[in-house]
Amino acid sequence: MTLLLKPITRLSLFQTHFQIINNNPRARARAISVSCSWSHEAHKIVREFDPKIPIEKAITPPCSWYTDPSFYAFELDRVFYRGWQAVGYTEQIQEPRDFFSGRLGNVEFVVCRDDNGKIAAFHNVCRHHASLLVSGSGKTSCFTCPYHGWTYGLNGELRKATRISGIDDFSINDFGLVPIKVATWGPFVLLNMDNEILQKDNIDTDNVASEWLGSSSELFSLNGVDTTLTYVCRREYIIECNWKVFCDNYLDGGYHVPFAHKGLASGLSLDSYTTSIFEKVSIQSAEGGSKQKEDDRLGSKAFYAFIYPNFMINRYGPWMDTNLAIPLGPRKCLVVFDYFLEASFKDDKAFIERSLADSEKVQMEDIRLCEGVQKGIESPAYSTGRYAPNVEKAMHHFHCLLYDNLIN
C-alpha cells in the first residue's frame, strides 16, 4: 500500500540533518545557514497569499506554491508531519498479524495488528543499517530485515540482532522500532507524527474525531460513512501535477463538472450543489439528477467530504470511495482510490464493473485537467488567479488552512 507519513520523532527534515552532522562544527554552521535560507524563502512564498482578504476580493496562491522545491520541502514538514493523517483502512489489518506499509514524504511506515489484537505503527526502518523491513501488505508474525536478519516483534521490540558478538555499549532494549501514534475512526486508520503527543495504549476516539473532523464528525455517520461497507478494490494513479492541484480540482464546488464530466453531470442536479465549511473539513453535496436509473451508481444524493490536508470521502448511492492525494514532489503526486460498497450489492458483478468503469472515466477526465493545469501554472503567462465566490468557497478554505499551517 502506497500511503505516507512522518516519524514520531517530530524532527524537521533539516533537524534530522543537523543530528547527522552534529559532530562537525563547520558542517553544522553551513547546514544552519542553508536551513535558515530555505525556511526564509519558503516563508516569503507563503506570505504571497493573504487569507484575511474576503473571497470576493481574494487572489489565489501564487504559482510558486505549486512548483517551488523549497516550498514543497517546507510543506511536507509543516503540513504532513503534523496532525492526524489518513493512511489506510481497518479491513487491511482486520486479523492478528496483518500489516500494511506506506510512505509519506521521506517517511516509511508500517501498521500492524499483533496477536492480542492491538494495532501499532512504526517507522518501517531497521535500526541496524536503515534497510526497509517490509513492502506492500500481508501477514507476518515478526518483521525480519532482509539485509542482515535483525528481527522485530509486532510490538516493535528487537528480538534478535545477528552476529553482533564483540559489540560494546549495546542494549537490545534500546534498538526497537521507532513508534508512530496510530488511531482508527470508523473504517479508517490514522497516523500522527507529532513527537509532543506520546503513544498511549488507549486513544480516545472522541478526541481523535474532534481533532480530525471537528464539529462535522456526526455528519459522516449520518451520511453512511461507517464500518458496515464492504471493501471492493483499489486503484492508483500517478499524476504529473502538484498534490494541491488535485485537491483544488475536487474543491471547486462542481464548477468544472458540466464542462469536463458530462456523463457525471447528467446524474447530478448541479443546481442543488451546496458547500458547508467546518474547522478542517468542507462538505459538498448534490441531489441526484432526473435521468438516474434504478441501478445508477450515484443514487439520490452525493456527499463529497474533504478532510484537510489531502483526504477525500465520497458517498453516493450504495458506494463510497476515498481519494488520498500523496505528494511525490513539487510536480507529481500519487492518488489512491479505495472503493467500498453496501453489502447487498457485493455479489452484483455486472453493477460493480459498470460502476467502476464509469468512475474510471471520471478519473481520466480529471487527470487530463490536473496535468493541464500544472503545465499552465508553470507557464510565464500565469502567476495568480481569482475565485468564483459562490462555488469555490471550499477551495479558498483549503488555501487558508494551508497558510495557517505554514506560517505558524
Side-chain angles (χ1 to χ4, degrees):
M1 174 159 178
T2 335
L3 303 159
L4 334 169
L5 287 221
K6 167 174 180 170
I8 194 130
T9 44
R10 219 7 241 120
L11 299 171
S12 73
L13 302 178
F14 279 93
Q15 285 172 318
T16 303
H17 184 57
F18 291 161
Q19 284 189 338
I20 296 171
I21 63 171
N22 196 44
N23 294 324
N24 185 328
R26 181 178 295 179
R28 184 166 66 248
R30 181 180 178 186
I32 291 172
S33 175
V34 171
S35 174
C36 291
S37 172
W38 168 80
S39 181
H40 177 70
E41 181 62 30
H43 267 99
K44 281 175 57 180
I45 295 172
V46 173
R47 289 192 175 93
E48 291 178 30
F49 174 75
D50 188 347
K52 295 180 181 178
I53 299 175
I55 189 172
E56 294 81 5
K57 297 182 178 181
I59 302 296
T60 62
C63 56
S64 51
W65 277 36
Y66 300 82
T67 60
D68 188 270
S70 67
F71 185 88
Y72 172 74
F74 188 64
E75 189 175 59
L76 285 180
D77 182 62
R78 293 297 183 93
V79 176
F80 289 97
Y81 299 163
R82 303 181 182 187
W84 290 107
Q85 307 282 340
V87 298
Y89 49 94
T90 54
E91 193 166 331
Q92 291 176 283
I93 46 170
Q94 192 169 15
E95 302 293 335
R97 302 188 176 187
D98 285 346
F99 76 90
F100 69 87
S101 62
R103 178 182 174 92
L104 180 59
N106 291 332
V107 177
E108 301 282 350
F109 65 85
V110 60
V111 180
C112 62
R113 188 183 293 273
D114 68 17
D115 288 325
N116 296 318
K118 181 182 176 182
I119 299 173
F122 306 97
H123 291 278
N124 181 23
V125 178
C126 181
R127 297 292 304 280
H128 178 220
H129 285 321
S131 173
L132 297 187
L133 296 170
V134 294
S135 62
S137 60
K139 189 177 285 286
T140 186
S141 60
C142 59
F143 299 121
T144 300
C145 179
Y147 198 4
H148 298 109
W150 284 35
T151 301
Y152 304 85
L154 299 185
N155 60 359
E157 293 179 359
L158 178 59
R159 289 183 179 175
K160 182 174 68 174
T162 59
R163 302 181 68 176
I164 59 169
S165 58
I167 193 172
D168 291 330
D169 301 321
F170 177 84
S171 171
I172 199 168
N173 296 326
D174 295 334
F175 280 81
L177 298 178
V178 179
I180 300 173
K181 186 178 180 185
V182 61
T184 62
W185 186 89
F188 308 116
V189 176
L190 314 173
L191 297 185
N192 190 322
M193 307 300 163
D194 198 331
N195 189 40
E196 296 176 2
I197 305 173
L198 298 177
Q199 177 69 67
K200 300 177 182 178
D201 289 337
N202 297 306
I203 294 177
D204 190 326
T205 303
D206 291 337
N207 286 342
V208 171
S210 177
E211 290 178 36
W212 193 47
L213 302 175
S215 58
S216 70
S217 59
E218 289 188 9
L219 291 175
F220 286 83
S221 54
L222 289 174
N223 283 277
V225 178
D226 54 43
T227 57
T228 64
L229 301 170
T230 299
Y231 180 73
V232 176
C233 68
R234 161 169 294 186
R235 292 185 176 174
E236 298 182 350
Y237 307 88
I238 292 180
I239 307 177
E240 298 295 326
C241 72
N242 185 276
W243 68 276
K244 296 185 296 298
V245 169
F246 185 87
C247 294
D248 287 349
N249 177 70
Y250 184 89
L251 294 168
D252 75 353
Y255 197 172
H256 72 286
V257 171
F259 307 102
H261 305 309
K262 297 191 184 303
L264 176 62
S266 67
L268 294 172
S269 175
L270 296 178
D271 291 338
S272 70
Y273 224 100
T274 62
T275 300
S276 301
I277 303 296
F278 300 88
E279 295 90 339
K280 293 184 178 180
V281 172
S282 60
I283 295 175
Q284 304 170 80
S285 59
E287 302 297 325
S290 58
K291 294 182 180 180
Q292 67 174 353
K293 304 179 289 294
E294 273 189 30
D295 66 348
D296 183 43
R297 70 185 181 97
L298 296 178
S300 61
K301 184 178 181 180
F303 172 90
Y304 304 120
F306 177 82
I307 304 172
Y308 179 82
N310 64 333
F311 191 53
M312 290 139 268
I313 302 174
N314 310 302
R315 189 71 167 92
Y316 47 91
W319 285 97
M320 180 177 79
D321 70 68
T322 62
N323 323 144
L324 187 65
I326 300 167
L328 297 180
R331 298 172 177 83
K332 182 180 291 188
C333 66
L334 169 70
V335 181
V336 180
F337 278 70
D338 285 308
Y339 291 88
F340 304 79
L341 188 60
E342 292 176 7
S344 60
F345 289 81
K346 67 180 182 180
D347 296 323
D348 190 341
K349 292 184 179 180
F351 172 71
I352 291 173
E353 290 178 4
R354 186 166 58 250
S355 296
L356 291 175
D358 288 344
S359 179
E360 180 75 6
K361 183 175 185 294
V362 174
Q363 308 332 318
M364 292 299 102
E365 292 166 347
D366 275 333
I367 287 172
R368 286 193 291 272
L369 290 175
C370 291
E371 293 187 338
V373 167
Q374 184 68 34
K375 291 177 181 177
I377 284 173
E378 295 174 3
S379 164
Y382 183 86
S383 58
T384 59
R386 297 294 302 272
Y387 298 98
N390 292 328
V391 289
E392 293 183 317
K393 295 186 288 291
M395 185 192 300
H396 181 251
H397 178 242
F398 170 51
H399 295 157
C400 291
L401 288 173
L402 279 168
Y403 177 92
D404 289 341
N405 239 180
L406 293 165
I407 211 69
N408 295 320

